[in-house]
Amino acid sequence: MKKNKLWLLVATFAAAFLFLAACGDSDDNGADDYDNGDDTTADEVEDNEDAGELEGTITVSWWGNEGRHDATNEVIDLFVSENPGVTINPHYGAWDGWQTAFAGDLEAGQEADLMQVNFNWLQLYSPFGTTFADLEDPAIAAHLDLSNWDSQYIDVTRQSGVVQGVPVGMTARVPFMRADIYEAAGLDVQDINTWDDLIAAGNAIQEHHGDSVFALSPLGPQSMAYMVFSWLEQYTGRSFVDADGQLNYSLEELTDGFQLIQDFIDNGVMPDGAFDSDPINAENPMWIEGAYGGVSEWDSSINAWINNLGEGGEDLVEIRPHFTMDGAQLSGWMSRPSMVFSISNNSDYPEVAAAFLNFMLTDERAIEIMGTDRGVPLNTVGRAYFDALGLGGHVVAANAIHAEAETTTMNAIFEFPEVREVYESQLMEIFNGTSTVEAAAEFVYNNIQAVIDSLLD
Amino acid sequence: MTFSVKTKLLNALRYLVLGLVALIMLYPLLWMIAGIWRPNDEIFTSAGLMPQNPVDGFENIRNGWMVQGRSLLFYFGNTLRFLIPRVVGQVVSCVLTAYAITRFEFKGKKIVFALVLATLLMPEVIFRIPLFQMYSGDNPFGINLLGTFMPLWLENAFATGSFFVYMLVQFMRGIPRDLDEAAKIDGCNSFQTLTLILLPVMKPAVITVGLLTFMWGMNDFIGPLIYIRQPEMRVLQQALRVGSEAGDGGVIWGQIFAMSVMALIPAILLFFVAQRYFMDGIASTGSKE
Amino acid sequence: MSTQVKKKRAKFQWSDAYLYLIPWLIGILVFRLYPFIEAFRISLFNQRIGRPTEFVGLGNFTEILFGDSMHGNLFRHSLNVTFRYVFLTVPLVLIFALFIAFILNFKIKGIGFFRTAFYIPSILGGSVSVALLWRAVWGNRGLINSFIVIIVNGLNFLPFVNIYAPEGWVPVGWMVQGGTALVVMAILRAWQFGSAMLIFLSALQNVPATLYEAASIDGAKKWRQFFTITVPIITPTILFNGIQLLTAAFQEFNAAYLVPAQPGGPNNATLLLNIFIYQRAFEQNNFGIAAAASWIMFIIVMIIATIVQTTSSKWVHYND
């Protein structure tokens, strides 16, 4: 008899649990039924032109190294001291694993009010502009002055027309060359401008240094792709996809583009897959030992590479503009926001988040505190203060070299993980010698449109 | 050869083999320790153990001790805040469960044991997201446990550590029933039998469960990654990652190694001290069913 | 009629065990079965953050099992890789662990030191430092290849021996060739055999010494004793360890993610199933596919474990 009751209790509990859990899940994606900008706060704020008495508690999340943490915390303290009604809880950590935690939070509706977001994640997690708060919403726009940004940069963060984040800076992959390696082979790095120059340099370097030294380095799947598609932009004058998401290149053009990698391998510009078993990063032993004449890296990430070269490393590395070709139709520079800040759709105090964001990115003292910890600021106000600081170094110089140039903004579709998987895997096959250029190009040509289409609906 | 010479030779051979293999096992640790005294470029180009251009290792150790203004000891303290409840909860609930399975006859016993084994085989990756959602408020009580350490030890208090249930079941089957009989004759109920009579005999196994839980918990990174965000709550593993983040000026790997080695010390010490109980503990899991 | 009623009552007899099992019951319902079923539910949907969730039924499953998409091809490839990895690793670990345990079983001074030393790799776990060192050892210019080069150069001094070994020669591209890359991963896992070894060691110490004595008197050598006495007696331990290692190997993630130059290895040669799942879930924001793949992983592990368990009666000897 006792036993009956117990099982009944347990069964009911289990059934109830499962039932409730199943029901509880339907609106967790944040995608379907969230209203934008119907917050009651909107009315209140519109009546005060000045931010005045800000009140609320928000969480701000970001990843980075200790320098960035210290600087950001200092900015937070400054803001809070000037806005006593505000409490800010910082959540910060290492890059390692950050995306996992971030995605988990989004899935469960637990994300921070103000989040540092990797640019790709905007397309990844908010393809239709529904996951993050609309930054043009009046409640938010009252505190975050989007006019500080050139409109083209704000358009970049629009997903289905909705502004999902504010770009902190623009970045591009910049060639960083080892002037000493070129010099020893009788070349001046400043003379290497076109792809042909580069290929000739590859041969010259191998002749002088031997088979184990290269004009560049094993670029890695991402950089290889950027090189190839930059080349294609220069060659055809068209970027990756058109306005409807259709691939902009013919099979012949794709094949010619992929051939670039094979030419690199055949002419000592880069090794093939069998040469280096380590990832191409700042800790790569071959880089440290001087086997690689150059790397292609994001403008703000070069310092780690230089540091690992030891004493005097910064003198060995020179920044070059993107390789080009005679008759290039586009510059080949493909830039994208380095990172953005987004506001949560579930935030109780979006206006506080907006105000703090505005402060962090445009206030003179905040800019001074941050220095280059988040790269070179993009918005005009912040940029002016930054320039006034007169900071030097490779990061600033690298940013300058593409900021002034005519760049194409990388299309979101280009960076979709599934799309990347298609072209990067084929480039890797060429790199590893397991596929011909023709077969690789054909594979991409035949498969990529279907993948793109499936992601666009 | 005489018998004793042969034994001595064989013994020497055993020590030689053991020593060689021990060297292979210890090599990474020794390499990391050597790395504390090396500059970055040497670390990545040398797999040997002698630093060529030594740097001030002690400075690396001093710097590695602090992450974001707090010492590694502080973060270790945070680790303990979830690890100790986890160990206690795991031990208690697994012992209770194993006791039920081995010392009672009841309907459904086979199903229970089968379920224990089945949960052993479930891939952990399946649970992550649903559990996270559950802890974040998506449960019938509407309680949000994020921001506490509870998600990191709650489930262990409910015998979800099937590996340990299995192990304790093996061990307990080896304990003679006479003890139970004697206890019953003396007037003990089932609970008193467990706590007063059986537990002392089970000490080695129980210590094993606790020790392994502790060791695995020290290395747990994904759990804290998902559930712990506030910087002052961060555990040792997270602090290590933060301290290792390459930044504007790049990272000093000697310092990272110093940090990593220091973080390993509790686990190694604990193991060395407790391995005696550990050995006796798993003793009866093998040769009996 | 009254006998029937009596029989029924006898069947539903209360046992105190039920009280002791309450924590376990709660545990398994709340923390295991619920997420498990929830994961299955997710696998029936096209669940991605930021997109409306659509019900696809078994679509995710059919796509990865039979479909011609990147997901499908990579999934089946990763199944292949994982199977080969498991069947490489599990025997390797079992053999290493048993071998070392056997040697450690003799009365040796400093056994505590050796046990700790052998357990240290397992303590190190899947850290970045281990990944760094593994590359330094197995890399193209790593320790092992350097060793080979030294030997080959030495051999070249002998007359009649002329092995081609130019400057910068790489004997074997352990980590860049698909075939060997997986083996290197397996060795990494096998190097962390500490837990399995300890379990074997305690089992060995439980074998009654009298059996060995009797065998010695009958003239059997140590090795013969090992195979005819020791191994049969510890077959239950071999089973326990085997199943543990099997499950763990199927779920391998850390090493295969951190060590290779690209996650997944050269041309995805080391794309283990768990990495595939992780990539779909967290890098591609496709939880439906990830959940479906996890479920298939579970079913496979169940099937293999069941096969091992049921065939075990043929080779496992229990002692009671």
Side-chain angles (χ1 to χ4, degrees):
Chain A
M1 267 321 174
K2 266 198 261 181
K3 196 240 165 204
N4 262 347
K5 285 210 184 121
L6 186 64
W7 281 121
L8 196 60
L9 186 68
V10 165
T12 322
F13 181 66
F17 211 98
L18 291 174
F19 177 74
L20 285 167
C23 293
D25 261 299
S26 42
D27 44 34
D28 259 344
N29 297 345
D32 327 290
D33 25 68
Y34 246 95
D35 303 321
N36 266 331
D38 280 9
D39 302 317
T40 47
T41 45
D43 303 320
E44 297 172 60
V45 172
E46 268 178 65
D47 292 338
N48 325 351
E49 268 309 292
D50 50 83
E53 285 303 310
L54 267 184
E55 271 197 7
T57 307
I58 60 168
T59 316
V60 179
S61 76
W62 72 90
W63 72 85
N65 67 321
E66 297 207 53
R68 188 184 285 174
H69 298 325
D70 291 336
T72 315
N73 278 324
E74 212 181 312
V75 172
I76 288 180
D77 290 339
L78 184 57
F79 183 77
V80 168
S81 72
E82 297 190 343
N83 293 280
V86 167
T87 313
I88 298 186
N89 295 320
H91 283 183
Y92 52 91
W95 170 249
D96 195 0
W98 188 266
Q99 185 173 9
T100 310
F102 185 81
D105 284 349
L106 274 183
E107 177 73 6
Q110 294 294 322
E111 70 272 21
D113 297 275
L114 181 64
M115 305 162 269
Q116 178 178 315
V117 179
N118 207 11
F119 180 61
N120 316 13
W121 298 353
L122 281 186
Q123 305 105 332
L124 189 59
Y125 296 120
S126 186
F128 303 121
T130 50
T131 309
F132 303 109
D134 180 1
L135 295 184
E136 288 180 318
D137 176 282
I140 293 176
H143 297 273
L144 177 65
D145 191 356
L146 288 178
S147 66
N148 283 333
W149 278 263
D150 220 39
S151 64
Q152 57 168 318
Y153 299 130
I154 297 297
D155 289 337
V156 157
T157 59
R158 285 183 196 278
Q159 300 294 320
S160 291
V162 181
V163 177
Q164 291 286 271
V166 129
V168 174
M170 290 299 266
T171 188
R173 286 249 166 171
V174 176
F176 295 94
M177 319 283 278
R178 285 283 298 262
D180 55 328
I181 293 180
Y182 279 74
E183 214 179 294
L187 300 165
D188 185 353
V189 152
Q190 299 295 325
D191 291 334
I192 313 289
N193 292 313
T194 68
W195 302 102
D196 292 331
D197 291 340
L198 185 61
I199 289 179
N203 287 322
I205 285 181
Q206 292 239 300
E207 244 184 72
H208 183 267
H209 291 283
D211 284 338
S212 301
V213 180
F214 302 88
L216 288 180
S217 54
L219 299 168
Q222 222 181 352
S223 268
M224 278 197 285
Y226 291 158
M227 291 266 169
V228 165
F229 286 101
S230 294
W231 187 95
L232 277 171
E233 284 202 349
Q234 295 170 353
Y235 185 62
T236 66
R238 304 189 294 273
S239 48
F240 186 62
V241 289
D242 63 20
D244 298 318
Q246 298 297 306
L247 181 68
N248 250 339
Y249 305 123
S250 68
L251 178 57
E252 295 75 39
E253 288 165 341
L254 262 187
T255 313
D256 290 337
F258 280 26
Q259 182 63 38
L260 184 69
I261 299 297
Q262 191 64 52
D263 289 341
F264 278 1
I265 295 176
D266 294 337
N267 288 289
V269 175
M270 68 184 267
D272 64 13
F275 180 76
D276 193 347
S277 52
D278 291 289
I280 184 71
N281 57 23
E283 288 81 41
N284 186 300
M286 296 275 96
W287 162 256
I288 294 175
E289 286 178 359
Y292 296 145
V295 294
S296 170
E297 176 57 273
W298 299 115
D299 63 4
S300 49
S301 309
I302 192 58
N303 279 335
W305 298 76
I306 293 178
N307 255 58
N308 283 347
L309 290 178
E311 288 298 317
E314 59 273 11
D315 300 321
L316 300 175
V317 174
E318 282 189 32
I319 303 166
R320 297 289 303 140
H322 208 283
F323 304 110
T324 185
M325 59 173 68
D326 293 327
Q329 303 194 39
L330 284 175
S331 73
W333 279 115
M334 299 195 295
S335 65
R336 42 166 269 188
S338 53
M339 63 186 82
V340 305
F341 270 95
S342 300
I343 298 181
S344 160
N345 245 342
N346 304 330
S347 173
D348 290 327
Y349 297 101
E351 67 281 3
V352 177
F356 174 69
L357 181 57
N358 202 52
F359 179 82
M360 182 166 62
L361 295 181
T362 60
D363 184 281
E364 183 175 4
R365 298 156 298 174
I367 301 285
E368 190 175 343
I369 295 173
M370 286 305 303
T372 53
D373 275 317
R374 285 202 171 85
V376 176
L378 181 61
N379 68 86
T380 44
V381 173
R383 184 61 194 271
Y385 290 134
F386 181 84
D387 289 340
L389 291 175
L391 295 173
H394 282 83
V395 172
V396 177
N399 182 274
I401 221 173
H402 69 80
E404 310 308 318
E406 276 286 320
T407 68
T408 332
T409 317
M410 234 182 255
N411 192 303
I413 296 177
F414 185 65
E415 296 264 276
F416 279 154
E418 295 91 333
V419 175
R420 279 178 59 186
E421 211 166 40
V422 176
Y423 58 71
E424 281 182 6
S425 62
Q426 293 310 299
L427 287 172
M428 286 305 287
E429 296 234 4
I430 298 177
F431 179 63
N432 286 320
T434 49
S435 170
T436 64
V437 170
E438 291 76 18
E442 214 178 298
F443 182 89
V444 172
Y445 188 74
N446 289 338
N447 288 300
I448 208 161
Q449 196 59 60
V451 173
I452 294 176
D453 292 339
S454 74
L455 294 167
L456 283 183
D457 61 60
Chain B
M1 320 194 169
T2 62
F3 183 67
S4 61
V5 172
K6 191 171 175 194
T7 331
K8 285 207 181 100
L9 259 173
L10 274 176
N11 254 356
L13 192 63
R14 275 185 209 114
Y15 270 110
L16 188 64
V17 172
L18 274 178
L20 268 174
V21 180
L23 188 63
I24 297 178
M25 298 288 130
L26 287 176
Y27 196 83
L29 193 56
L30 297 173
W31 184 76
M32 270 169 60
I33 295 178
I36 299 178
W37 275 268
R38 281 182 158 142
N40 274 5
D41 45 328
E42 197 184 311
I43 287 179
F44 296 108
T45 50
S46 163
L49 288 183
M50 287 310 296
Q52 316 283 42
N53 300 318
V55 296
D56 186 0
F58 294 104
E59 183 175 340
N60 279 337
I61 294 177
R62 269 196 304 276
N63 291 340
W65 178 247
M66 305 288 288
V67 172
Q68 286 283 283
R70 298 187 170 101
S71 73
L72 289 185
L73 200 59
F74 173 83
Y75 295 113
F76 182 58
N78 278 343
T79 307
L80 288 181
R81 282 172 68 182
F82 80 84
L83 205 47
I84 292 184
R86 189 190 271 197
V87 168
V88 170
Q90 182 107 288
V91 166
V92 168
S93 61
C94 289
V95 164
L96 289 179
T97 310
Y99 184 51
I101 294 178
T102 54
R103 284 315 203 241
F104 294 84
E105 289 304 319
F106 55 94
K107 175 143 194 219
K109 180 165 155 173
K110 283 211 174 104
I111 302 179
V112 170
F113 196 55
L115 278 176
V116 168
L117 287 183
T119 47
L120 193 59
L121 302 176
M122 289 181 181
E124 276 208 24
V125 64
I126 283 193
F127 306 131
R128 296 265 176 229
I129 298 285
L131 275 179
F132 181 68
Q133 279 184 262
M134 189 180 79
Y135 284 123
S136 67
D138 188 16
N139 53 65
F141 308 105
I143 302 179
N144 184 344
L145 289 177
L146 297 186
T148 71
F149 283 102
M150 283 184 73
L152 290 174
W153 58 261
L154 195 59
E155 65 171 46
N156 301 90
F158 291 94
T160 50
S162 310
F163 176 80
F164 298 114
V165 173
Y166 192 14
M167 193 162 88
L168 284 171
V169 163
Q170 308 282 60
F171 188 82
M172 289 182 80
R173 279 188 183 161
I175 302 179
R177 301 265 175 154
D178 315 339
L179 287 173
D180 296 58
E181 300 292 325
K184 214 177 197 178
I185 292 175
D186 282 348
C188 289
N189 61 29
S190 61
F191 192 69
Q192 287 163 328
T193 315
L194 174 64
T195 50
L196 301 175
I197 310 294
L198 289 179
L199 266 185
V201 177
M202 288 169 63
K203 209 162 59 170
V206 166
I207 291 184
T208 303
V209 173
L211 184 63
L212 276 182
T213 307
F214 189 88
M215 309 278 276
W216 295 348
M218 285 286 294
N219 271 341
D220 190 3
F221 174 60
I222 298 279
L225 170 74
I226 296 181
Y227 291 107
I228 304 212
R229 302 309 166 74
Q230 293 83 339
E232 62 275 7
M233 281 174 69
R234 271 204 293 256
V235 304
L236 198 53
Q237 284 294 325
Q238 289 170 301
L240 281 185
R241 296 293 200 282
V242 169
S244 313
E245 181 92 1
D248 207 25
V251 100
I252 304 177
W253 283 88
Q255 193 177 314
I256 296 182
F257 285 171
M259 221 188 284
S260 308
V261 171
M262 286 191 283
L264 287 173
I265 291 178
I268 297 181
L269 273 180
L270 189 65
F271 182 83
F272 189 70
V273 162
Q275 40 100 18
R276 188 163 43 103
Y277 295 104
F278 190 85
M279 293 307 303
D280 297 334
I282 325 184
S284 297
T285 59
S287 49
K288 310 221 160 113
E289 185 176 355
Chain C
M1 194 117 112
S2 56
T3 26
Q4 279 177 324
V5 171
K6 271 194 198 141
K7 267 193 195 161
K8 270 198 179 164
R9 286 236 186 96
K11 269 191 190 167
F12 294 129
Q13 191 168 23
W14 168 262
S15 166
D16 273 355
Y18 296 134
L19 282 177
Y20 289 107
L21 285 177
I22 287 179
W24 174 83
L25 194 61
I26 297 178
I28 201 171
L29 285 175
V30 173
F31 299 107
R32 290 292 178 259
L33 282 186
Y34 157 64
F36 202 55
I37 294 175
E38 173 65 8
F40 184 66
R41 193 194 66 85
I42 292 180
S43 71
L44 298 179
F45 288 80
N46 185 11
Q47 175 135 336
R48 319 187 60 175
I49 299 174
R51 290 171 191 267
T53 310
E54 344 163 355
F55 180 74
V56 292
L58 292 177
N60 286 333
F61 290 96
T62 49
E63 180 179 353
I64 55 182
L65 285 173
F66 310 115
D68 195 26
S69 62
M70 293 293 289
H71 290 314
N73 293 327
L74 277 177
F75 175 75
R76 293 186 292 275
H77 174 73
S78 76
L79 269 187
N80 178 313
V81 168
T82 311
F83 265 97
R84 284 188 289 131
Y85 173 79
V86 169
F87 289 122
L88 252 178
T89 309
V90 175
L92 260 181
V93 176
L94 284 177
I95 292 173
F96 273 149
L98 191 51
F99 178 62
I100 296 294
F102 179 60
I103 297 188
L104 274 181
N105 198 24
F106 297 96
K107 298 249 181 306
I108 300 185
K109 255 194 286 196
I111 194 173
F113 166 76
F114 281 116
R115 275 186 215 146
T116 313
F118 291 144
Y119 198 73
I120 284 197
S122 307
I123 298 183
L124 285 175
S127 61
V128 178
S129 327
V130 168
L132 276 180
L133 182 83
W134 214 248
R135 280 190 227 132
V137 168
W138 291 95
N140 283 354
R141 272 149 224 89
L143 215 54
I144 303 223
N145 276 346
S146 306
F147 205 53
I148 297 181
V149 168
I150 292 178
I151 295 183
V152 165
N153 280 337
L155 284 177
N156 273 341
F157 271 116
L158 299 173
F160 306 120
V161 178
N162 194 355
I163 308 177
Y164 180 61
E167 178 78 33
W169 173 57
V170 172
V172 184
W174 302 103
M175 307 220 11
V176 293
Q177 290 171 333
T180 47
L182 200 59
V183 174
V184 168
M185 288 294 117
I187 295 180
L188 175 57
R189 185 59 191 82
W191 172 70
Q192 296 180 324
F193 62 65
S195 304
M197 174 202 79
L198 289 171
I199 294 181
F200 273 138
L201 187 51
S202 46
L204 287 179
Q205 294 193 335
N206 250 26
V207 177
T210 49
L211 284 176
Y212 289 125
E213 284 161 16
S216 291
I217 292 174
D218 284 349
K221 302 266 186 209
K222 278 267 161 42
W223 282 109
R224 199 171 139 70
Q225 287 176 22
F226 178 73
F227 282 106
T228 52
I229 302 178
T230 323
V231 172
I233 289 190
I234 60 170
T235 43
T237 316
I238 299 182
L239 181 65
F240 180 56
N241 261 342
I243 293 197
Q244 288 303 302
L245 290 168
L246 201 71
T247 349
F250 260 104
Q251 302 182 45
E252 188 66 54
F253 178 83
N254 272 323
Y257 192 71
L258 289 174
V259 179
Q262 298 90 27
N267 285 349
N268 286 326
T270 55
L271 185 72
L272 295 180
L273 197 49
N274 227 353
I275 297 185
F276 173 86
I277 291 175
Y278 176 82
Q279 284 177 339
R280 303 305 116 169
F282 294 108
E283 290 175 10
Q284 296 197 3
N285 187 24
N286 197 333
F287 292 103
I289 296 256
S294 315
W295 255 86
I296 296 187
M297 182 205 268
F298 170 64
I299 292 177
I300 292 180
V301 172
M302 278 289 271
I303 293 179
I304 296 188
T306 313
I307 294 180
V308 172
Q309 184 75 34
T310 42
T311 58
S312 71
S313 51
K314 301 238 165 63
W315 54 274
V316 175
H317 307 86
Y318 291 105
N319 297 331
D320 48 10

